[in-house]
Amino acid sequence: MSHPHPELSGPPPLPAGALRVTPLGGLGEIGRNMTVFEFGGKLLIVDCGVLFPEEAQPGVDLILPDFSSIRDRLDDVVGVVLTHAHEDHIGGVPYLLKESGDIPLIGSKLTLALVEAKLAEHRIRPYSLQVAEGDVEQIGPFACRFVAVNHSIPDAMAVAITTPAGTVFHTGDFKMDQLPLDNRLTDLATIAELGKSGIDLLLSDSTNAEVPGFVTSEREITPVLDRVFGRAKGRIIVASFASHVHRVQQVCDVAAAHGRKVALVGRSMVRNMAVARDLGYLKVPAELIIDLKEIDDLPDDRVVLMCTGSQGEPMAALSRMANRDHQVRITGEDTVILASSLIPGNENAVNRVINGLTRWGATVVHKGNAMVHVSGHAAAGELLYFFNLAKPRNFMPVHGEWRHLRAAADLAIKTGVPRDRVVIAEDGVTVDLVEGVARITGKVEAGYVYVDGSSVGSVTEASLKDRRILGDEGFVSVFVAVSADTGSIVTGPVITARGFGLDDQTLEQAKPLIVDALATAAAEGIGDTHQLQQLVRRAVGRWVSNTTRRRPMILPVVVEV
């Protein structure tokens, strides 16, 4: 079993007839999925998603894959295959197309429709190629065969990519629900056929590799929702992913059975469900869906709100309701259902939302106390079944944190994949398939690229560290004007503190230390303002540390007059 080494250097030139696989996101994390395949000087990308920020990344809206390793080769990209329309697989597409707008997008009908709706907000009109399960498309030197897989969104597909180097099978996100709501099963027959023909390298979703058994069928949720609806006396608010068409369908079906109307809340929810209804993936009577403005005209026991915010996102509808920052005011009669899985890293944010809703008296139903959501990812039993069908010669787990990748690798070995043919990589690590053997050969840059408002890439780890210090410790600013001739103080020092907890009288104690430091500098002939600022920073820093045992950000400003 091979694994990356932190001292890996850049990969060597790709040998003739070999295939290179470079994940730029999705390994060691849940999200930001993007994999680049290279053969014969051409590149094929599978997925281009985003990762959502954690608490340690204040002010960040989204995290993108790092395009730097392919930025000079965008003309070589023959297409982007999109396995399905979840944000962690398509959210980065607008930012990629802003760098090169003529890259073709390849995906299923619903996937492309949701991507195109997203791109319209960025004023981008892509070239797209719609495919369906069973189709085979020659995209540059890559022969792509599309295979139906079941997931928590309709129209998901895996892709078998064949070149003279061999066949790589990329599952995308998948599970093996035998009773899916849309009756669209994972195509085990085609997977078995591919396995019999020979899969040289398998890249498989690993998210649930630690979970034993099989994932519960989506159909099992409907009776649970029915019971919750039956007990609810007031409004029902359901939070889910904005692209979870199946869950919205279930909520609409149960709402109709209980004589309730459904209002969609949240821009992405409204947009995505409009697309799904237009294409026939969401089937609801026209009179069932109402505008949010109409809910005040109905009794509370006739209303269902379907909204975003199941992950505790601060600006999403549910978080704003919990914070009393939304037109929907939570009351003690409301029932709130969090109908989604919990993405790792979002635990604190979700708990804050649950506590906020409970504070206002709402009854909160979530996966921890009722089966209102099932995962969209294959559990260990399904993966074992799948590996035995696929019979890969080499295996590379993708789409998961480190523990998930390792668990999936162990499952593959149990089904007969030789240990030395299992590759556990990380973002940026290049894996070359040469003469039927997959090996790690190097590493390219694959760091986080932060989106902050309209800024892409300008926020660095250093600036995030500054934000964390400001949030945790506050800041102290010092202004001093000194004479350009003598170095003596003309004005100040003026000390201001924010988020620090010291009053002005206490801050006065630091002024003599600043005066002494500048006087010593003047006596020694130090007149460079940068050096003087560092002297002030150190003097104030020592005083703050000794006085409060705190380490705020210190911002000294020294000017000459």
Side-chain angles (χ1 to χ4, degrees):
M1 185 185 299
S2 59
H3 56 83
H5 191 280
E7 296 180 359
L8 281 171
S9 58
L14 185 62
L19 175 72
R20 175 163 292 166
V21 182
T22 308
L24 295 182
L27 275 65
E29 60 198 1
I30 303 294
R32 212 170 63 116
N33 299 291
M34 180 176 180
T35 308
V36 179
F37 298 85
E38 178 179 359
F39 182 85
K42 298 298 181 181
L43 306 177
L44 177 72
I45 297 171
V46 173
D47 291 329
C48 184
V50 295
L51 180 68
F52 293 102
E54 298 180 5
E55 289 182 337
Q57 294 151 336
V60 173
D61 298 318
L62 299 170
I63 304 172
L64 301 176
D66 188 345
F67 304 143
S68 59
S69 64
I70 61 171
R71 183 163 284 119
D72 294 336
R73 300 190 58 192
L74 292 177
D75 289 343
D76 295 331
V77 178
V78 294
V80 179
V81 171
L82 301 171
T83 59
H84 64 283
H86 279 152
E87 284 296 304
D88 58 335
H89 291 257
I90 67 168
V93 171
Y95 301 93
L96 178 64
L97 294 189
K98 285 178 182 178
E99 302 212 14
S100 180
D102 57 354
I103 299 176
L105 304 180
I106 302 100
S108 64
K109 180 166 69 171
L110 180 63
T111 300
L112 289 180
L114 293 178
V115 172
E116 288 166 358
K118 174 185 289 292
L119 289 172
E121 296 183 357
H122 292 263
R123 299 181 181 179
I124 298 173
R125 296 186 63 182
Y127 169 75
S128 56
L129 172 64
Q130 182 177 310
V131 293
E133 55 261 32
D135 289 351
V136 178
E137 293 287 344
Q138 189 70 36
I139 306 169
F142 307 94
C144 296
R145 181 176 181 178
F146 297 92
V147 181
V149 293
N150 181 250
H151 188 41
S152 53
I153 187 172
D155 256 9
M157 290 194 292
V159 58
I161 303 168
T162 300
T163 67
T167 295
V168 179
F169 189 73
H170 192 304
T171 66
D173 286 350
F174 83 106
K175 60 178 176 176
M176 292 163 60
D177 190 341
Q178 298 304 296
L179 296 170
L181 291 175
D182 59 0
N183 297 314
R184 186 174 178 270
L185 297 166
T186 294
D187 190 350
L188 301 180
T190 296
I191 293 169
E193 178 190 331
L194 288 166
K196 189 173 182 180
S197 300
I199 294 175
D200 296 285
L201 175 61
L202 172 64
L203 277 64
S204 174
D205 176 11
S206 306
T207 306
N208 267 353
E210 289 185 311
V211 180
F214 285 65
V215 173
T216 304
S217 173
E218 295 275 352
R219 291 182 187 265
E220 299 297 319
I221 294 174
T222 302
V224 179
L225 290 175
D226 186 69
R227 288 194 293 271
V228 174
F229 275 52
R231 292 195 301 263
K233 295 181 173 58
R235 295 175 302 185
I236 297 174
I237 302 166
V238 185
S240 179
F241 293 118
S243 55
H244 204 330
V245 179
H246 293 324
R247 193 69 70 248
V248 175
Q249 182 71 67
Q250 287 175 303
V251 169
C252 288
D253 290 345
V254 176
H258 286 265
R260 290 177 179 259
K261 301 290 187 180
V262 178
L264 302 176
V265 185
R267 182 169 55 87
S268 56
M269 178 70 74
V270 172
R271 180 193 68 203
N272 289 349
M273 292 309 114
V275 171
R277 288 181 71 186
D278 289 345
L279 296 180
Y281 291 91
L282 180 66
K283 300 177 176 66
V284 294
E287 66 275 8
L288 181 70
I289 303 295
I290 62 172
D291 191 273
L292 181 60
K293 298 175 183 177
E294 299 177 54
I295 64 172
D296 292 335
D297 300 329
L298 293 172
D300 286 351
D301 61 359
R302 295 280 311 283
V303 171
V304 176
L305 303 178
M306 190 80 215
C307 70
T308 56
S310 61
Q311 299 303 306
E313 306 95 313
M315 297 307 295
L318 192 65
S319 296
R320 292 171 56 205
M321 292 178 197
N323 294 330
R324 278 287 201 263
D325 183 32
H326 195 277
Q327 67 186 85
V328 176
R329 312 293 281 186
I330 298 295
T331 72
E333 295 294 310
D334 292 332
T335 298
V336 180
I337 304 172
L338 273 67
S340 67
S341 57
L342 184 58
I343 295 176
N346 292 344
E347 293 87 353
N348 290 339
V350 172
N351 286 333
R352 275 198 301 271
V353 170
I354 292 174
N355 282 318
L357 295 167
T358 305
R359 176 189 178 192
W360 306 118
T363 299
V364 182
V365 181
H366 52 85
K367 193 178 179 183
N369 57 29
M371 197 181 68
V372 289
H373 180 75
V374 297
S375 177
H377 304 269
E382 294 162 84
L383 290 175
L384 287 170
Y385 192 98
F386 169 67
F387 294 158
N388 283 325
L389 282 178
K391 296 180 171 57
R393 299 186 177 107
N394 298 268
F395 176 66
M396 178 177 167
V398 295
H399 301 180
E401 297 179 331
W402 276 103
R403 58 196 175 99
H404 306 134
L405 303 180
R406 176 72 65 174
D410 291 341
L411 293 175
I413 292 169
K414 288 179 180 178
T415 62
V417 181
R419 184 174 292 273
D420 62 353
R421 295 292 186 91
V422 175
V423 178
I424 299 181
E426 64 182 347
D427 293 341
V429 167
T430 55
V431 177
D432 290 355
L433 182 64
V434 183
E435 297 180 353
V437 179
R439 291 285 184 269
I440 288 174
T441 55
K443 189 173 184 179
V444 301
E445 188 67 31
Y448 282 178
V449 176
Y450 299 108
V451 178
D452 185 352
S454 60
S455 166
V456 178
S458 61
V459 175
T460 63
E461 291 295 337
S463 57
L464 285 180
K465 181 180 179 181
D466 288 344
R467 291 181 182 184
R468 288 192 289 269
I469 292 172
L470 286 169
D472 295 338
E473 303 286 351
F475 75 91
V476 177
S477 67
V478 181
F479 174 81
V480 185
V482 299
S483 168
D485 297 325
T486 65
S488 60
I489 295 177
V490 177
T491 302
V494 177
I495 306 178
T496 305
R498 292 290 184 273
F500 187 45
L502 291 181
D503 56 32
D504 292 342
Q505 186 174 356
T506 304
L507 291 172
E508 290 289 325
Q509 298 173 17
K511 289 187 177 181
L513 302 176
I514 300 169
V515 172
D516 290 346
L518 293 176
T520 301
E524 294 176 355
I526 299 174
D528 179 74
T529 54
H530 177 72
Q531 289 180 277
L532 295 178
Q533 287 176 170
Q534 297 310 307
L535 289 172
V536 171
R537 185 194 305 276
R538 285 194 288 271
V540 174
R542 282 193 298 269
W543 175 81
V544 169
S545 179
N546 292 334
T547 304
T548 67
R549 297 294 185 266
R550 298 276 300 276
R551 299 185 65 183
M553 182 175 290
I554 299 171
L555 306 172
V557 179
V558 178
V559 297
E560 290 183 338
V561 294

